Amino acid sequence: MRYATFSLPGDAVPRLGVVRADTIVDVSGLDASAPRSLLELIQGGPAGWRRMAERASDLSRARGHAATDIRWHAPIPRPTKNVFCLGRNYADHVKEAARARGQEFKLPTHPVFFTKAPTTVIGPYDDIVWDERVTQQVDWEAELGVIMGIGGRNIARGDAMSHVFGYTVINDVSARDLQSAHVQFFKGKSLDTFCPMGPVVVTADEYGDPQQKAVKLRVNGLEKQNGSTADMIFRIDQTIEVLSLGCTLEPGDIISTGTPEGVGMGRTPQEWLKVGDVMETEVEGIGVLRNRIVKAS
């Protein structure tokens, strides 16, 4: 199943949809018991997911909305907690970041976790607002996002993947100067609009092996990143295992799994986004985010 959150012209209320080719079918049209949001569906548990999948034939017969006639929202427009993120999870990215900061190259021996505030999350085609009074070094990071379906604490690695609901695309937009000034990731990662997400969530049963997917990013049509989730230092099952140690993960929690090499900070000379730039963030099997940098009013 491929789920999206959308609204219609003249009705700004987000609703849950199932994507079929170039159309999106409103799940609320099924009956009064249908989930009103993706988060509600996820929180309903595996039995609810199966019921929805079983009704796929009903949805295929329903009249859909053209993808061009709707507004796409982030699949979970307002997460219930911060987005969990991994830093330094691809060896070549660790190398380029160390070089840019004048540090010794050393692979992490433990997952590096940080978070992005829920207010960073925007839709797959929304604008990213750059306030040049706050930062002068806006950078990109294409990432595979993991959506938790079943919560838990101290989740064993062998069980971890059964806790995953599905996968999405995330751009972990970053203010590098704020990262340096604050000597940690949170502030530089948590500016408003700095987490485009979507366009869909592909359920785990349909997505296939998440550790064999291409991750790409283009700026104004020029390729900047082209990596593979096969190159993660800490795979998704290990990430869930370690993150959940003594820390309860809940249905609908989002984990952004790190970025491959090719970020602006790691280039010579360094490259920073500017007003008018358009980023296209792509993860194989899910789709493409397309976000423009605009100046804060």
Side-chain angles (χ1 to χ4, degrees):
M1 301 287 283
R2 300 173 69 87
Y3 290 107
T5 298
F6 73 103
S7 59
L8 299 171
D11 183 359
V13 177
R15 56 188 73 195
L16 175 62
V18 171
V19 178
R20 299 292 188 202
D22 294 327
T23 64
I24 187 166
V25 179
D26 189 347
V27 167
S28 67
L30 286 173
D31 55 49
S33 66
R36 295 164 295 177
S37 69
L38 181 59
L39 185 59
E40 183 179 330
L41 172 64
I42 294 170
Q43 292 173 336
W49 313 343
R50 287 192 293 271
R51 284 195 299 271
M52 185 61 66
E54 289 165 359
R55 303 196 66 178
S57 59
D58 296 335
L59 291 167
S60 67
R61 291 192 294 268
R63 180 175 177 273
H65 303 279
T68 54
D69 293 341
I70 63 169
R71 179 186 174 191
W72 294 75
H73 298 260
I76 301 177
R78 182 60 184 250
T80 58
K81 62 175 71 166
N82 287 12
V83 178
F84 295 107
C85 302
L86 264 76
R88 304 170 184 165
N89 199 29
Y90 289 76
D92 286 341
H93 175 57
V94 176
K95 185 179 297 183
E96 68 178 352
R99 183 176 60 246
R101 297 186 175 109
Q103 299 172 345
E104 177 188 1
F105 169 58
K106 185 178 180 180
L107 290 178
T109 57
H110 190 281
V112 178
F113 294 119
F114 62 94
T115 66
K116 295 173 80 78
T119 46
T120 62
V121 175
I122 59 172
Y125 311 118
D126 291 343
D127 292 335
I128 296 166
V129 180
W130 173 34
D131 189 338
E132 55 190 352
R133 298 166 299 180
V134 178
T135 176
Q136 294 292 316
Q137 297 180 350
V138 181
D139 203 352
W140 57 82
E141 291 193 5
E143 309 199 2
L144 172 67
V146 176
I147 312 296
M148 296 298 292
I150 300 173
R153 184 175 61 184
N154 302 330
I155 299 169
R157 185 171 183 176
D159 298 330
M161 301 307 286
S162 67
H163 287 251
V164 174
F165 176 81
Y167 301 91
T168 194
V169 184
I170 291 175
N171 187 341
D172 176 19
V173 183
S174 307
R176 301 298 188 193
D177 43 2
L178 292 185
Q179 280 185 252
S180 298
H182 289 261
V183 202
Q184 45 75 46
F185 292 176
F186 178 73
K187 175 65 175 179
K189 300 283 192 172
S190 286
L191 300 185
D192 291 355
T193 73
F194 271 34
C195 190
M197 186 184 303
V200 301
V201 169
V202 182
T203 53
D205 59 339
E206 179 173 322
Y207 191 52
D209 185 356
Q211 301 292 173
Q212 297 291 330
K213 302 296 183 180
V215 179
K216 301 180 181 181
L217 186 139
R218 297 174 291 277
V219 178
N220 301 329
L222 298 177
E223 186 174 272
K224 301 296 184 180
Q225 292 183 280
N226 187 344
S228 170
T229 57
D231 297 328
M232 286 183 187
I233 299 170
F234 304 103
R235 295 167 66 90
I236 295 166
D237 55 359
Q238 185 178 6
T239 294
I240 292 172
E241 176 186 47
V242 176
L243 182 58
S244 71
L245 289 173
C247 175
T248 299
L249 300 181
E250 299 177 305
D253 282 352
I254 302 165
I255 304 172
S256 198
T257 57
T259 197
E261 69 170 325
V263 300
M265 175 185 66
R267 293 176 172 270
T268 305
Q270 292 180 325
E271 299 177 15
W272 311 117
L273 293 163
K274 57 187 183 298
V275 171
D277 285 346
V278 176
M279 287 185 291
E280 295 173 293
T281 312
E282 180 177 2
V283 176
E284 181 183 356
I286 302 175
V288 181
L289 312 178
R290 189 172 294 104
N291 306 97
R292 183 181 300 272
I293 304 294
V294 301
K295 188 174 182 178
S297 57

